[in-house]
Each structure stands twice: as structure tokens, then as C-alpha cells.
Amino acid sequence: MTTPCLESETSPWHEELGMLLAALDDSPLECDGLTHAVSFVLHQAGIKHRCAMGFVKDADTGNCVAPHVWVELADGWIVDFRLRMWLGDEDRVPHGVFHPASNKTFQFHGEYRDRSSTINHRVLDMMTEGRLSHVKVSREFVEENRNVRV
């Protein structure tokens, strides 16, 4: 699967979602664990998404991260707070909630996996050092973007 690209590069709704989920960024987790936590939050909020497992290639450098795990929202936006862990903490490397069209240098390729209910809330909260319990996504916020509502 190659993520479809819309030409939209900015969205206040997605920026706000990124700020809400950024509370999980300091968790001591790699991409798989953080994907579980993000998926849990999105599932609880009623936001349609899929978890993907595969690889990400930096077309400029040829560097590739494999395996890698991330979340894709129903509208094509990506949630990935761990790509910089592997490709360097640089502004050019996508981070947080972003649309793949905003940086075509990084190509996401993978298959969708069901990860929604494999780890319960208490375990995820411990894994995130209590951060998961502090991430709240309001129903009103979700309703602002009908493209991702369950």
C-alpha cells in the first residue's frame, strides 16, 4: 500500500490533533508501542484510522526505516511521532500529524494491521508513564472533521 496523497498541506483540525497527541511523544516507547497508544486514543474518540506496518524511505538520502509502524487517519493524514528516532531529529523529517503531500521525500509503504485492542488501557497507561490518561479528545472536536468520524 502506498499512502494516497491529497494536495492539502495545512489543516487547523489536524494541527490541533497533533497538539493533543503530542502529550504521548515523551513516552519511553518506540514506534510500535506509541502506535498502540495513539490508536487507543483515536479509537476511544471515535476517529477512524488504521495502523500500518512496513517501511519508510527517505528518497533524498536513500535511508530506510524497516520495520516501522505508524497510524493513518481515514482522510489520508499520518500520525507518526517516531520517524525522527530513526532518521534524525531534523526539521525535514516529518513528525506528529502530517499529510504525506507536505513532504514527498519520505515515502511510506506498508500493510494495515489491526492493533486496536491488543493492549488494555491500564497497561498502555503504564507504558506511557501515565501520559495516556491525560490525553482527552472531545466529541465536539471529532465532529469538526466528518471525514474521520466513525
Side-chain angles (χ1 to χ4, degrees):
M1 157 235 47
T2 301
T3 304
C5 292
L6 304 173
E7 292 307 316
S8 175
E9 294 186 17
T10 60
S11 159
W13 189 90
H14 292 91
E15 286 179 21
E16 187 172 345
L17 180 63
M19 288 186 285
L20 293 168
L21 295 174
L24 299 170
D25 195 12
D26 288 333
S27 299
L29 300 171
E30 294 187 6
C31 60
D32 57 342
L34 196 58
T35 293
H36 276 290
V38 167
S39 180
F40 180 86
V41 170
L42 297 176
H43 178 75
Q44 294 292 55
I47 297 174
K48 287 189 283 188
H49 67 284
R50 300 185 288 186
C51 299
M53 175 184 262
F55 67 94
V56 180
K57 183 174 182 180
D58 179 345
D60 286 348
T61 66
N63 291 334
C64 185
V65 177
H68 190 61
V69 186
W70 64 92
V71 171
E72 184 178 315
L73 302 177
D75 59 3
W77 287 67
I78 292 175
V79 181
D80 189 339
F81 284 93
R82 290 299 179 258
L83 192 57
R84 287 182 179 177
M85 176 182 274
W86 308 114
L87 293 177
D89 191 12
E90 303 172 19
D91 288 342
R92 70 180 207 83
V93 178
H95 183 79
V97 178
F98 53 90
H99 196 278
S102 66
N103 190 333
K104 294 179 184 179
T105 298
F106 295 88
Q107 302 156 354
F108 288 75
H109 303 278
E111 297 178 5
Y112 297 114
R113 305 282 185 200
D114 179 19
R115 304 176 74 81
S116 59
S117 62
T118 57
I119 303 176
N120 73 40
H121 177 263
R122 286 161 106 211
V123 173
L124 282 171
D125 198 41
M126 287 188 316
M127 290 170 58
T128 62
E129 297 180 333
R131 290 173 179 87
L132 185 69
S133 295
H134 299 287
V135 180
K136 307 293 184 216
V137 180
S138 72
R139 181 176 310 277
E140 295 80 20
F141 172 74
V142 175
E143 290 175 358
E144 290 176 18
N145 186 347
R146 63 185 166 149
N147 296 320
V148 297
R149 291 188 311 220
V150 172

